[in-house]
Every structure is written in C-alpha cells, then in structure tokens.
Amino acid sequence: MSLNHSADLSRAATEARGLAMDAVAACHSGHLGLPLGAAEIGAVLYGDFLRHDPAAPLGSTATASSSRPDTARCSSTAGSTSPVSTSPSRK
C-alpha cells in the first residue's frame, strides 16, 4: 500500500465521519458510535476490496424489487410503530 493510498483512505474515512454527523443532525435522530468508530474499516473495504460500477449502480444481478430507495430517507419515530417487539424477553 502506497503512502498516497493510505492518505486517500484516511481522507475517505474523515469524509465518511462528516457525512454521518450531517445525516444524524439532519434527521434529529441517530447514534454516531458505529459510523465514527468504523469509518476506517469502511474506507479500507471500499478502497481495497469492494468494487462498484457507477454505470450499473444496482449491480448486474439486482432486480427492481430488490431496490429500496425509500430506506435512504430520514424517518421520524414519533407516532410510528417499531418492528421490534416490546414484549418482555424470555428467560
């Protein structure tokens, strides 16, 4: 790994942290523990191992039914139902 590549990955991690903070602030909801703590992992995975073709953003095997653009929006939890059960846990 070259020194310049390491600097690029470090900058990508820093940018990811900033975007995570902006997203949490915009939604007025969220926790920054994972995005701030795992930014380097994401930068290395995306920079060295994962491949993305901007010409085919859904990939070659994706179908229209697997695309979920609505999941990228902020959502308020006020008045919504949670998919997580609120019943007491079993022992």
Side-chain angles (χ1 to χ4, degrees), residues 43-72:
V44 169
L45 284 174
Y46 194 79
D48 291 338
F49 298 101
L50 302 176
R51 298 292 171 246
H52 172 70
D53 181 5
L58 298 178
S60 60
T61 59
T63 62
S65 63
S66 67
S67 174
R68 298 279 318 264
D70 58 328
T71 59

Side-chain angles (χ1 to χ4, degrees), residues 15-44:
E15 292 289 328
R17 284 188 196 95
L19 291 171
M21 289 186 282
D22 290 345
V24 169
C27 291
H28 303 289
S29 176
H31 189 276
L32 290 170
L34 181 65
L36 295 182
E40 286 86 6
I41 295 169
V44 169

